Amino acid sequence: MTRSGYIWMYTLCTNADTISRLQPTSQRASFDVASDLADLHHSLACAIYSHNPEKQLKIIYKSHLYPRLFEARDLIYFLHILEISPTMFKALLLLLPAYALSAYALIHGVDSSSLVSTATYKKAKAEGFTKAVIRGYEEACGDGGRVDPNFVQTYKNARAAGYTNIDTYWFPCNGSGHKCKSYATQLAEISKTFNANKMKIGKIWVDIEKDSVCNNWNYGAAGNQAQAKEIIKALQNSGLKFGIYSSPGEWSAIFGSSHFVLDKSAPLWFATFNNVETLTLGAHFGGWTTAFGHQYTDVSASHQFDLNVFAS
């Protein structure tokens, strides 16, 4: 490659605007097939001339436009301009499948706590987010807890958009200053909603985190641990498939220690906003060494979703 070509490539692959365009479309405010396809070509070129091509290769594979990448007429011209030889291009093709496995091994999902339209779900699904988690029960401390009034309609909208992998989460009402319904009653209300609306729900995730508005989990470390055990007992008695959602910081703040073990046999969905799309637990807590889900950012183009990766 000529000196001018290297300078052009360095500018392309280090320019902040270019890098932002190469991010997954779900994290951007706009979407255009032509420009995104061109950006994939740029990403391919950066991968070829990078000493560490993993980032660019994963972006290529995660894009819903990947199948069109090698069909585009201007790809040949683009490779010619960059002076990429057929041998170099074939070498890259040998590398791509290895990154495909890591990129596609996980399921990408969105979770929401508000009413989400069918159109918004369709866009998310087109961008590769094939799992939806919807808030099914809210703390509503003034009412003692209640089924989220948007739950049923949001579920119907997700189904209309083509989603079949749907979970829900339960934000239980508790706190010494409230007249919360028993955990068994809260779960019974959720189950009744499932049955009345013929909802096909995979798992129910119990959301363990503090809320400054309702001042939940205010029983002290020992009292909070006792309450959490009651929640798990109620879940086990309900017969529902369940998992636990929390974060290292919330766990320690609520239970007084990251080492408190509640039910490490239950799947863990953890929140750590680091934009790293893996299930790796940076900080172990609750006895878990592996996770089922990772909520990696609360930023999305629609402003209605948190973004996640799941094992299934």
Side-chain angles (χ1 to χ4, degrees):
M1 191 176 190
T2 63
R3 176 178 173 79
S4 61
Y6 275 116
I7 293 174
W8 186 86
M9 278 300 304
Y10 177 82
T11 302
L12 170 72
C13 298
T14 58
N15 180 272
D17 291 337
T18 300
I19 292 172
S20 68
R21 289 201 309 273
L22 295 178
Q23 297 304 309
T25 55
S26 59
Q27 297 180 28
R28 304 206 317 266
S30 62
F31 172 73
D32 177 78
V33 171
S35 62
D36 281 352
L37 195 56
D39 286 339
L40 282 187
H41 295 159
H42 296 168
S43 191
L44 179 64
C46 292
I48 291 172
Y49 288 104
S50 171
H51 292 296
N52 182 17
E54 181 175 355
K55 180 177 180 180
Q56 284 80 20
L57 293 178
K58 284 188 176 181
I59 289 173
I60 291 170
Y61 257 97
K62 286 176 184 177
S63 172
H64 65 289
L65 289 176
Y66 169 74
R68 291 186 52 184
L69 179 62
F70 301 111
E71 298 175 8
R73 293 179 181 179
D74 59 336
L75 176 61
I76 296 175
Y77 175 72
F78 187 77
L79 296 178
H80 173 72
I81 292 297
L82 294 176
E83 300 176 28
I84 297 172
S85 69
T87 300
M88 186 179 293
F89 186 59
K90 289 178 181 178
L92 178 68
L93 292 182
L94 292 176
L95 286 175
L96 283 172
Y99 290 103
L101 292 175
S102 61
Y104 278 117
L106 300 177
I107 300 296
H108 285 72
V110 292
D111 72 270
S112 60
S113 58
S114 61
L115 180 64
V116 180
S117 69
T118 299
T120 299
Y121 271 126
K122 282 184 176 179
K123 183 174 182 181
K125 193 169 186 293
E127 293 175 356
F129 292 87
T130 57
K131 183 182 182 75
V133 185
I134 306 166
R135 185 173 67 186
Y137 202 92
E138 58 184 357
E139 191 177 12
C141 49
D143 297 327
R146 67 178 181 183
V147 172
D148 189 316
N150 293 316
F151 178 38
V152 174
Q153 189 58 55
T154 298
Y155 171 85
K156 290 180 178 178
N157 292 345
R159 293 286 295 184
Y163 280 85
T164 56
N165 188 349
I166 302 176
D167 290 353
T168 187
Y169 74 90
W170 167 37
F171 201 127
C173 178
N174 73 14
S176 60
H178 311 299
K179 295 181 179 179
C180 293
K181 301 166 187 174
S182 70
Y183 298 131
T185 298
Q186 293 180 47
L187 285 170
E189 291 180 354
I190 297 174
S191 294
K192 183 178 179 180
T193 302
F194 291 170
N195 296 331
N197 295 278
K198 299 180 179 179
M199 303 170 84
K200 296 180 180 179
I201 300 294
K203 289 184 180 66
I204 178 170
W205 298 91
V206 56
D207 187 338
I208 297 180
E209 63 178 309
K210 291 185 69 66
D211 171 29
S212 60
V213 175
C214 284
N215 191 29
N216 60 345
W217 297 107
N218 63 350
Y219 307 97
N224 288 342
Q225 292 178 17
Q227 288 291 318
K229 290 176 182 177
E230 288 298 315
I231 287 175
I232 296 301
K233 182 179 179 180
L235 281 164
Q236 291 171 339
N237 291 338
S238 73
L240 297 168
K241 293 182 180 179
F242 71 91
I244 297 172
Y245 167 91
S246 193
S247 70
E250 292 284 354
W251 199 264
S252 296
I254 291 171
F255 300 122
S257 170
S258 63
H259 300 297
F260 169 66
V261 177
L262 178 59
D263 183 358
K264 65 180 181 180
S265 67
L268 171 67
W269 172 24
F270 74 99
T272 299
F273 296 156
N274 56 7
N275 286 308
V276 178
E277 300 170 30
T278 71
L279 297 179
T280 302
L281 272 173
H284 292 181
F285 66 99
W288 289 287
T289 56
T290 59
F292 183 90
H294 175 200
Q295 187 181 74
Y296 60 85
T297 183
D298 60 352
V299 177
S300 68
S302 68
H303 305 293
Q304 289 190 277
F305 294 133
D306 299 320
L307 306 183
N308 310 265
V309 287
F310 292 95
S312 64

